[in-house]
Amino acid sequence: MIQNPPRATIKTHRIKKERLDVEYPVVEGLADKNVEQYINSVLMGIVNTLIEKTGYYENPATDVTGRYHIRTNENGFLSISIEMYWFAGGAHGMTVLKSVTFNLGTGNIYRLEDLFKENANYVKSLSDIIKRQIKEKNIPIIADFTEIKPDQDYYIENRTLMIYFQLYELAPYVYGFVTFPIPTREIQDIIQP
């Protein structure tokens, strides 16, 4: 008999202070409490790092809001994005998105390279698909795109690998987080089973 893969219960917690309102995820309900504690410490670490990145503590004019998105919570995997927006004056604020994907049984964090077979040239394969999508979607890029970084930002949603770029990293601000869905069938030959 195959045991059901773990699934997490996600509760929303909040840090609310003057000029700071951040909702963040807390994982509950895992059989292994050490794994649960580790996952929560990683998530809290991301939240704290992003708050620091906004300049909230240095600049009394900075307003910060944060929220999260559960991208996948099935088959023993949890993929979560944490989004932090801040405004410190000027034409518009800035937003940063940080994602992390866990194995709910072990607590392991999957880096992008961990999703692929050993020695697979995943950087080239994914970059080629992204180049094609940039053309198809007619995305006005602000920098020559040659290839993704080996540790490019990603999350998993609907069994699809979602590669994304931060604001201004690839396209103008108005395009937000330019995201490229990469269906599993397109990378079947190189992806880990």
Side-chain angles (χ1 to χ4, degrees), residues 97-115:
L97 188 66
K98 180 75 181 143
S99 302
V100 63
T101 300
F102 296 99
N103 176 316
L104 289 172
T106 64
N108 281 357
I109 294 173
Y110 292 100
R111 298 167 307 182
L112 184 58
E113 69 186 69
D114 298 331
L115 304 178

Side-chain angles (χ1 to χ4, degrees), residues 116-186:
F116 298 94
K117 293 176 182 165
E118 207 174 322
N119 301 322
N121 192 350
Y122 71 94
V123 169
K124 182 182 179 348
S125 299
L126 297 177
S127 299
D128 289 347
I129 293 168
I130 289 169
K131 284 177 191 169
R132 189 190 74 225
Q133 288 188 22
I134 287 171
K135 270 195 189 119
E136 287 170 0
K137 297 175 182 173
N138 204 15
I139 298 167
I141 56 174
I142 57 175
D144 269 348
F145 176 73
T146 51
E147 63 180 25
I148 62 166
K149 299 181 298 233
D151 62 346
Q152 187 69 41
D153 290 320
Y154 84 94
Y155 54 87
I156 296 169
E157 192 168 62
N158 301 324
R159 299 185 185 188
T160 300
L161 176 62
M162 308 293 275
I163 300 284
Y164 67 92
F165 292 83
Q166 297 296 330
L167 301 181
Y168 294 118
E169 194 178 0
L170 186 68
Y173 179 88
V174 68
Y175 282 82
F177 298 100
V178 184
T179 304
F180 299 93
I182 305 197
T184 316
R185 69 181 185 292
E186 282 199 55

